[in-house]
Amino acid sequence: MASQITKAVIPAAGLGTRFLPATKAMPKEMLPVVDKPAIQYVVEEAVAAGIHDVLMITGRNKGALENHFDRVGELEATLERKGDMVRLQKVNYSSELADVHYVRQGDPLGLGHAVLRARMHVGNEPFAVLLGDDLIDERDAILPRMLEVEQQRGATIVALLEVEPELASLYGIATVEPTDDEDVVCVTGMVEKPAPGEQLSNYAIIGRYVLQPEIFDILDRLEPGKGGEIQLTDALEKLAEDRSIAGGVYGVVFRGRRYDTGDRLSYIKAIVQLAADRDDLGNELRPWLKEFAATLE
Ligand code: UTP
């Protein structure tokens, strides 16, 4: 069934402190993952799901993001003169990918605050949110399924990943009840980054959401939560608790490959995994990796 959701919001205004000093003058979403900035994978994912209108929430250093999705006449002319059509096509691809808009967050007061900045652009429609530092392998796309579940249930949809209990404190964690669909659960409660023992389940909320516009009023009234930030999880919790507001919250369980590029170790793992799978790099990288791994023993 064709999805009616036409807009995607990509928050990319965080300070990226875990990556300093690399993120001093550049958003972490611009860090290269093999040969593309992380955010390009995310825009490609939205486009592959049929969403071409993309709003980026940016902060300081927004220039790099804007330039990446814009044309670069000088570079295009040079590649054309050299007859390097393969690279020319790669350069043009990112500028033609989607209809990209930008809005500034001002102060990075939290993910919920960043999403609230999308209100004017989104209006009164459901919309998708994709975090710019959370990569879902294109072979395991989850967004199309989330859009489908949103259409069936007219509710807010989050993506859930089962994590080991010791990792729960890194995520928003949901309590869930089963539904008739094997991969869909009903979310009954949520807590952001629970302390050990406070954990409600093993279902962690990952960086893909399909939100109902009622979230904006809730975010607007929300007090700062964990870390003094306006937390998206706190607003989602209110939607989960009161199903009369906007149909409640459902989770689609994700069992595929996902790469967190906001953390240094996961970022390194992401690059190695993706490069090892690539046709143009994998054949040389895989034997080298094996040799290198042998030296570690
Ligand atoms: P993170 O908490 O992972 O981003 O937010 P961060 O704050 O930049 O990371 P560290 O901990 O300092 O390294 C998840 C997503 O939400 C965006 C981030 O850009 C990231 O894509 N975000 C976060 C905003 O857009 N605004 C904010 O105020 C906070």
Side-chain angles (χ1 to χ4, degrees):
M1 200 193 301
S3 163
Q4 284 158 10
I5 290 180
T6 58
K7 290 176 184 157
V9 174
I10 305 184
L15 293 177
T17 52
R18 284 168 290 169
F19 258 106
L20 283 169
T23 46
K24 191 176 166 195
M26 180 178 75
K28 70 174 164 184
E29 290 80 4
M30 281 301 293
L31 289 172
V33 177
V34 188
D35 51 7
K36 285 191 282 193
I39 199 151
Q40 185 173 331
Y41 291 84
V42 178
V43 175
E44 285 173 5
E45 182 187 335
V47 171
I51 304 178
H52 297 266
D53 181 327
V54 172
L55 177 71
M56 285 188 196
I57 315 296
T58 63
R60 57 193 192 105
N61 308 327
K62 90 173 174 155
L65 279 165
E66 281 199 350
N67 291 342
H68 184 71
F69 292 100
D70 200 359
R71 305 199 70 116
V72 194
E74 220 175 281
L75 183 59
E76 288 172 27
T78 307
L79 291 171
E80 219 166 311
R81 220 171 26 247
K82 287 185 176 168
D84 191 342
M85 293 317 184
V86 175
R87 290 202 175 89
L88 179 64
Q89 199 253 331
K90 283 185 185 171
V91 164
N92 284 340
Y93 179 72
S94 59
S95 23
E96 289 161 5
L97 194 55
D99 189 6
V100 187
H101 308 265
Y102 302 88
V103 65
R104 285 205 126 147
Q105 189 183 0
D107 291 324
L109 301 179
L111 177 58
H113 182 256
V115 170
L116 182 57
R117 298 290 296 129
R119 185 174 207 161
M120 283 283 275
H121 184 85
V122 166
N124 199 27
E125 309 167 12
F127 60 105
V129 173
L130 296 87
L131 298 195
D133 58 355
D134 204 342
L135 304 191
I136 303 286
D137 197 300
E138 62 181 351
R139 296 163 291 186
D140 302 325
I142 188 175
L143 192 56
R145 176 68 180 139
M146 294 175 74
L147 296 175
E148 186 180 54
V149 176
E150 190 279 332
Q151 273 215 326
Q152 290 162 353
R153 299 186 184 260
T156 291
I157 315 295
V158 296
L160 297 174
L161 177 75
E162 279 192 78
V163 297
E164 297 299 326
E166 59 272 22
L167 295 179
S169 61
L170 300 174
Y171 294 92
I173 297 288
T175 19
V176 302
E177 283 170 7
T179 70
D180 293 343
D181 288 319
E182 183 272 326
D183 62 334
V184 180
V185 288
C186 177
V187 176
T188 54
M190 264 176 249
V191 57
E192 179 64 22
K193 300 194 172 75
E198 225 187 274
Q199 181 194 347
L200 304 171
S201 77
N202 287 348
Y203 282 110
I205 302 164
I206 56 171
R208 298 292 178 274
Y209 312 81
V210 181
L211 301 178
Q212 299 298 323
E214 286 81 355
I215 194 102
F216 292 130
D217 270 344
I218 297 176
L219 286 169
D220 200 24
R221 290 196 298 264
L222 210 59
E223 295 292 324
K226 278 250 157 80
E229 295 191 343
I230 307 286
Q231 297 285 358
L232 182 62
T233 310
D234 293 346
L236 290 169
E237 195 190 359
K238 292 199 188 309
L239 287 178
E241 276 169 0
D242 186 351
R243 307 177 64 77
S244 70
I245 305 175
V249 179
Y250 289 85
V252 174
V253 179
F254 179 67
R255 299 196 175 92
R257 288 158 281 194
R258 164 186 177 257
Y259 315 97
D260 173 6
T261 60
D263 162 80
R264 286 176 304 170
L265 186 59
S266 336
Y267 172 75
I268 293 164
K269 289 182 189 170
I271 293 178
V272 173
Q273 277 172 277
L274 284 166
D277 276 351
R278 286 253 303 240
D279 291 341
D280 56 344
L281 297 166
N283 286 344
E284 284 184 58
L285 181 62
R286 284 191 300 270
W288 177 83
L289 267 177
K290 281 187 194 152
E291 259 175 56
F292 178 65
T295 69
L296 303 176
E297 280 155 14

